[in-house]
Amino acid sequence: MEQDDLSDIQNDARSQNLVRAIERFIRVLNEQAGEKHAAKVILEGAILQGSELEQKPERFIEKELIDPVMRVLGYEPRFQPTGFNGLGGRYPDFTALNLDITNFGEVKKPGRIENARKESFEYLQKATDRPIVGIATDGFVWILHTATDPQEEPAYTHHVTLNDLFEKIRLEQTQPNADRRSRTHLRNLSQKFVSQFNASHVEELVIDN
């Protein structure tokens, strides 16, 4: 079996597991924030409100969405990590323990991806380790920056939006007669994300350079 064939099989499995993870997240979001507010967040791009959740939105997103999605992608995430060179005692929202390169990410509540991107990029600029990888996400949008050489500034690498996938899953869950036997259309929506953000691919981006 060719390596590309194996990658395709792995990514198809990841896509299927990603769909399941998002399905579970939407069910939990409906339960905790109420279906009306959840629908506004998913279908209209509304900001997720802590008053509706009765907890901090960022912590809710980390537990119910970021952690399971990272694991689908092959990462072993740790939240609120410390010990990064150059950050002056500040710490990012998460890191992946199983990557052989320095990496960290910033999480903001849905609708605040620009804040996550800004903070993630600032941390990457301050960090002195190279190679390095940074992820910014609000759970719906994922942005990747990388840098390989000691004098290199972090560069924009990938940007994937999962809004269509969230919307289709949310709408399907509201239709009692929806056909859930074939998930091809949902897996197709997730293919770009899992191929560009899985742990093996991200590590290769900086190590191979």
Side-chain angles (χ1 to χ4, degrees):
M1 181 180 294
E2 298 290 337
Q3 182 63 40
D4 287 345
D5 293 337
L6 180 59
S7 296
D8 288 342
I9 292 172
Q10 289 173 334
N11 284 337
D12 192 62
R14 290 187 184 108
S15 295
Q16 184 168 320
N17 289 333
L18 178 68
V19 169
R20 291 171 177 164
I22 293 176
E23 285 176 328
R24 180 189 175 280
F25 167 75
I26 293 174
R27 287 194 295 269
V28 174
L29 181 63
N30 283 333
E31 292 170 2
Q32 295 203 213
E35 291 194 13
K36 184 177 180 179
H37 184 58
K40 288 183 177 180
V41 170
I42 296 169
L43 303 179
E44 301 175 16
I47 305 298
L48 180 60
Q49 299 298 324
S51 58
E52 300 290 341
L53 288 170
E54 297 185 352
Q55 70 178 98
K56 291 184 177 180
E58 289 84 358
R59 301 292 82 80
F60 172 78
I61 290 295
E62 285 178 355
K63 177 183 177 183
E64 304 296 346
L65 183 58
I66 306 305
D67 183 81
V69 168
M70 293 287 286
R71 294 185 186 280
V72 165
L73 296 172
Y75 299 99
E76 295 176 8
R78 171 180 288 175
F79 293 91
Q80 282 74 58
T82 59
F84 293 96
N85 297 322
L87 298 189
R90 298 174 66 187
Y91 57 89
D93 288 329
F94 68 87
T95 189
L97 299 176
N98 59 321
L99 291 190
D100 290 331
I101 51 178
T102 299
N103 69 93
F104 46 70
E106 279 298 303
V107 177
K108 296 298 179 185
K109 59 186 176 182
R112 297 298 192 202
I113 183 59
E114 284 302 314
N115 293 352
R117 183 202 60 78
K118 181 176 181 292
E119 287 192 24
S120 175
F121 193 73
E122 288 175 353
Y123 280 157
L124 287 169
Q125 288 181 309
K126 290 178 178 292
T128 55
D129 292 339
R130 294 291 186 273
I132 196 167
V133 167
I135 293 175
T137 184
D138 66 351
F140 289 62
V141 180
W142 293 69
I143 298 172
L144 180 73
H145 288 87
T146 61
T148 55
D149 298 328
Q151 305 303 319
E152 183 182 5
E153 283 285 297
Y156 167 89
T157 307
H158 293 316
H159 183 157
V160 177
T161 299
L162 297 175
N163 295 75
D164 285 349
L165 181 60
F166 276 87
E167 290 175 11
K168 283 184 168 53
I169 291 175
R170 171 63 173 74
L171 291 171
E172 182 184 85
Q173 288 181 348
T174 65
Q175 303 299 318
N177 296 322
D179 185 0
R180 292 180 172 82
R181 291 174 297 177
S182 175
R183 315 313 299 278
T184 304
H185 63 300
L186 297 178
R187 292 201 303 272
N188 288 344
L189 285 172
S190 67
Q191 279 287 343
K192 180 180 179 181
F193 175 61
V194 299
S195 64
Q196 292 186 350
F197 278 81
N198 74 77
S200 297
H201 175 71
V202 168
E203 199 164 51
E204 288 170 1
L205 283 174
V206 293
I207 291 179
D208 287 353
N209 287 333

